[in-house]
Amino acid sequence: MGIREFPGGAPSGKTIAIGMRRSPDVSPRRLSDISPQLRQLKYLVVDEAIKEDLKWSRSVEDLTSGPVGLTSIEERILRITGYYGYQPWAASYKREERPRDSPAPAVAAAAEAQAVAGAEASGRTGHPCWRCSLAQLKKAFWGVAVVLCVCASWAGSTQLAKVTFKTFDAPFTLTWFATNWNFLFFPMYYTGHVFKSAEKQSLKQRYRECCRFFGDNGLTLKVFFTKAAPFGVLWTLTNYLYLHAIKKINTTDVSVLFCCNKAFVFLLSWIVLRDRFMGVRIVAAILAIAGIVMMTYADGFHSHSVIGIALVVGSASMSALYKVLFKLLLGSAKFGEAALFLSILGVFNILFITCIPVILYFTKVEYWSSFDDIPWGNLCGFSVLLLTFNIVLNFGIAVTYPTLMSLGIVLSVPVNAVVDHYTSKIVFNGVRVIAIIIIGLGFLLLLLPEEWDVWLIKLLTHLKVRKKEETGEGSADLGSGLQSKNRRTRPSFAH
C-alpha cells in the first residue's frame, strides 16, 4: 500500500509504506510503541488511485468514515496495516460492524417491511380491485353498445342500399356520394379533441402533428399519390363491388359472404407480412372457402347468382388487400392519424373519382331522367349509416375490445336474414343454412387470440385441479361421516 503525505503539517518529502507480516497468533503491540507513526497518520490521506482499487476494502471504508474522516487512532493504524496480527473480528470491531453486516437482522427487517408494505398494499388495493372490476364492466357495457351500433349501421346500410336501387339504379354513383362524406372524419376528430383533450392545439398544429404519420416531410404530393391514392382506389372498389352485388343477390348472402374478408386478411398477412402461422385460422379459411362454394350451390349455379357471389367475394378481397397493404406500408395509426387518412380518401374521391359518375351518366350506364327523381333521403341515409359504421369500427377501440366490434359484422347476418324473410322471396334451404353456419363459424375462429391454446390448457388444468379438490373433500366428508356413525352405533359395556 502506498500512502502519500498531506501537504502541510507532517515533515515534507516523507512517504510511509508499511508492510508487516500478519500473525493471527500474536496479540497486538502496545500503542505507545508506535506513537510516532500515529502522529504522522493524522496528516495522511490515501491516494485516489489506491483508494479506487481498494474501494471495497474495509480499511479504506473506515478511513473515509467517522466524523473526521477516520476512526479512532488505535484501530486506524492496525486495520490499515494488519499490524501484528490485529483481527478485525475483535470485540470493538464486532460492536461497530455487527449492526451493519449481520445478515439476519437485515433480512428480518426487510421481511417485516415487506410484510407491512404488503398489508398496506392489500388494504389499499382492496377498493381499487373493485374499481378495476367496475372499469371492466363499463368496458363490456360499451362493447355491447358498440356491437349493436356496428350491427345496426352495417345491416341498415345494406338494406337501405337494396331499397335505393329499386328507384335509383346507380351503385357507383352511390359509392362516390357516400365516400365523399369521409371528408368529415378529421373535422369531427378535431372537435372531439377540443372538447376532451387537456392540451388543446390549433387546427394547423394538430394537422401537422398528424401528418407525421406519412413521414418526416409530412403529406407531400408524392406521398399523396403513392400512399393515399392506392387506398382510395381500393376503398372505392370495395364499396362498389359490395353495392353491385346487392343488385344481383339477396342481402343475407352478401353480408355472410363479405365475412370471408377476415379469412382473406389472414391468408394475405401470412404470405405478405409473415405473420404467425396458426392451424385454427387455416381451418377457418378452409371453412370460409367451403361456405362460398356451398352458397353458390344453394341457388343451383345460375349465372345471376354466380356473378353476385363473385362480386361480393371480390369486395371482400379488396377489403383484405386494403387492410394488409395499410399495415405493410403505413403500419398502425393513432386516432388523429386515422381520421386524417380517411379524410384524405374523401378528398381523393372528390378530386379524382368525380369524373367517373359523370362519364357513366352521359354514357347512360348509370342514368336518371332528372335530379328531382334522385332519392336524396335514401342517399343521405345510406351515407350517414356507412359513416357511422366506419367511425365506430375505427374509433370504437377507445372504449371497448376489438373482438366485440368484429362481432357486430357477423351479427348483421341474422338481422339481414330476418329482414329478407319478410321482404323478399329468399328460400332458406339446407345448403344455404349450412353455408351460413360454416362461414359464421370460420369468422368466429378467426377472432380467437394467438394465445388461445395456452389459455385453453390453463383453463382445463384449473378445472381438473378443482375437480380433484372437490373429489378429495367429498371423500374426506364421507370418511368423517362413517366414523361418526360408527361412534354412535358402537355398544357400551359400562354399567
Side-chain angles (χ1 to χ4, degrees):
M1 177 181 295
I3 305 178
R4 65 180 177 84
E5 185 181 354
F6 188 83
S12 60
K14 293 184 179 180
T15 302
I16 301 175
I18 307 175
M20 299 184 182
R21 181 175 57 86
R22 179 175 181 144
S23 176
D25 299 330
V26 181
S27 60
R29 179 186 254 186
R30 292 176 300 173
L31 296 177
S32 59
D33 295 336
I34 56 173
S35 56
Q37 289 87 342
L38 295 178
R39 285 193 298 269
Q40 289 181 346
L41 190 59
K42 294 181 181 179
Y43 307 101
L44 298 179
V45 294
V46 180
D47 190 275
E48 290 296 327
I50 300 175
K51 186 176 179 180
E52 182 65 21
D53 295 336
L54 301 175
K55 61 181 179 180
W56 299 110
S57 171
R58 194 180 306 279
S59 303
V60 176
E61 180 182 300
D62 290 335
L63 279 171
T64 58
S65 62
V68 292
L70 298 170
T71 57
S72 62
I73 299 294
E74 298 84 38
E75 293 182 354
R76 189 186 313 159
I77 184 66
L78 296 176
R79 288 186 186 178
I80 293 176
T81 63
Y83 187 73
Y84 277 80
Y86 175 76
Q87 298 178 359
W89 51 89
S92 63
Y93 177 79
K94 289 180 182 179
R95 283 195 302 269
E96 294 179 3
E97 299 299 330
R98 185 176 299 156
R100 184 176 58 188
D101 289 346
S102 178
V107 173
E112 183 179 359
Q114 186 176 3
V116 173
E120 293 177 357
S122 61
R124 289 194 303 266
T125 56
H127 188 63
C129 286
W130 176 246
R131 285 184 181 176
C132 184
S133 62
L134 287 177
Q136 292 177 353
L137 184 63
K138 184 178 179 180
K139 200 169 186 179
F141 172 77
W142 277 109
V144 174
V146 167
V147 167
L148 294 177
C149 188
V150 169
C151 178
S153 59
W154 187 240
S157 62
T158 302
Q159 293 295 332
L160 191 56
K162 187 78 172 180
V163 173
T164 303
F165 290 147
K166 294 179 180 180
T167 57
F168 184 72
D169 188 9
F172 194 91
T173 303
L174 181 59
T175 301
W176 170 83
F177 183 80
T179 306
N180 290 338
W181 289 56
N182 281 7
F183 177 77
L184 299 175
F185 268 100
F186 191 74
M188 287 190 295
Y189 163 77
Y190 182 73
T191 303
H193 166 76
V194 170
F195 283 101
K196 292 294 184 180
S197 179
E199 299 179 357
K200 295 179 176 59
Q201 296 177 331
S202 65
L203 180 61
K204 189 174 183 180
Q205 290 175 341
R206 197 62 191 164
Y207 170 77
R208 288 181 176 178
E209 184 174 343
C210 293
C211 280
R212 296 177 185 174
F213 172 67
F214 297 100
D216 297 334
N217 297 326
L219 183 62
T220 60
L221 194 62
K222 179 181 179 181
V223 170
F224 179 82
F225 283 104
T226 56
K227 292 187 177 181
F231 293 100
V233 174
L234 290 175
W235 181 282
T236 302
L237 286 176
T238 299
N239 288 278
Y240 169 70
L241 293 176
Y242 185 86
L243 292 177
H244 197 71
I246 293 176
K247 289 178 54 182
K248 303 291 184 180
I249 56 179
N250 57 77
T251 57
T252 302
D253 295 349
V254 172
S255 59
V256 71
L257 288 171
F258 189 78
C259 292
C260 295
N261 78 317
K262 200 81 173 177
F264 299 156
V265 168
F266 163 69
L267 293 176
L268 288 175
S269 300
W270 181 39
I271 297 172
V272 178
L273 302 179
R274 305 295 182 182
D275 280 358
R276 177 185 172 187
F277 174 82
M278 292 182 62
V280 66
R281 293 185 178 178
I282 289 292
V283 173
I286 295 174
L287 290 176
I289 296 173
I292 293 172
V293 175
M294 293 184 69
M295 190 66 71
T296 307
Y297 178 75
D299 289 332
F301 292 98
H302 298 300
S303 59
H304 204 65
S305 63
V306 171
I307 293 174
I309 292 173
L311 289 172
V312 69
V313 171
S315 174
S317 302
M318 293 297 104
S319 174
L321 185 61
Y322 175 95
K323 295 177 181 179
V324 173
L325 286 181
F326 187 91
K327 189 175 181 180
L328 178 65
L329 299 178
L330 299 174
S332 58
K334 299 178 182 178
F335 293 129
E337 297 166 349
L340 178 62
F341 183 79
L342 292 173
S343 294
I344 292 173
L345 295 186
V347 173
F348 172 82
N349 186 75
I350 295 173
L351 295 178
F352 298 98
I353 307 297
T354 304
C355 60
I356 298 179
V358 174
I359 295 173
L360 294 176
Y361 175 78
F362 285 106
T363 56
K364 295 187 178 182
V365 176
E366 293 185 358
Y367 181 78
W368 53 92
S369 57
S370 65
F371 286 93
D372 295 334
D373 296 335
I374 299 177
W376 292 106
N378 290 349
L379 266 65
C380 292
F382 172 80
S383 302
V384 169
L385 288 173
L386 192 61
L387 181 66
T388 304
F389 171 77
N390 287 308
I391 289 175
V392 176
L393 203 63
N394 284 278
F395 304 114
I397 191 175
V399 294
T400 187
Y401 306 99
T403 303
L404 292 178
M405 295 188 299
S406 299
L407 285 176
I409 299 176
V410 72
L411 288 178
S412 65
V413 176
V415 174
N416 286 320
V418 172
V419 175
D420 285 346
H421 178 71
Y422 290 102
T423 59
S424 63
K425 298 179 180 180
I426 185 174
V427 178
F428 288 100
N429 53 28
V431 177
R432 176 174 273 110
V433 172
I434 294 175
I436 293 174
I437 294 174
I438 288 177
I439 294 176
L441 180 60
F443 186 90
L444 295 176
L445 289 177
L446 289 168
L447 295 181
L448 291 175
E450 293 185 356
E451 300 81 9
W452 71 273
D453 50 347
V454 178
W455 293 353
L456 181 61
I457 292 173
K458 288 182 178 179
L459 178 61
L460 294 177
T461 304
H462 176 71
L463 294 176
K464 187 176 180 181
V465 171
R466 187 174 180 181
K467 186 176 181 181
K468 286 184 178 179
E469 291 177 353
E470 292 177 354
T471 305
E473 291 176 357
S475 301
D477 294 340
L478 181 61
S480 61
L482 290 176
Q483 290 178 2
S484 61
K485 184 177 180 180
N486 290 334
R487 284 197 301 267
R488 287 196 303 266
T489 59
R490 184 178 298 169
S492 176
F493 297 98
H495 296 283

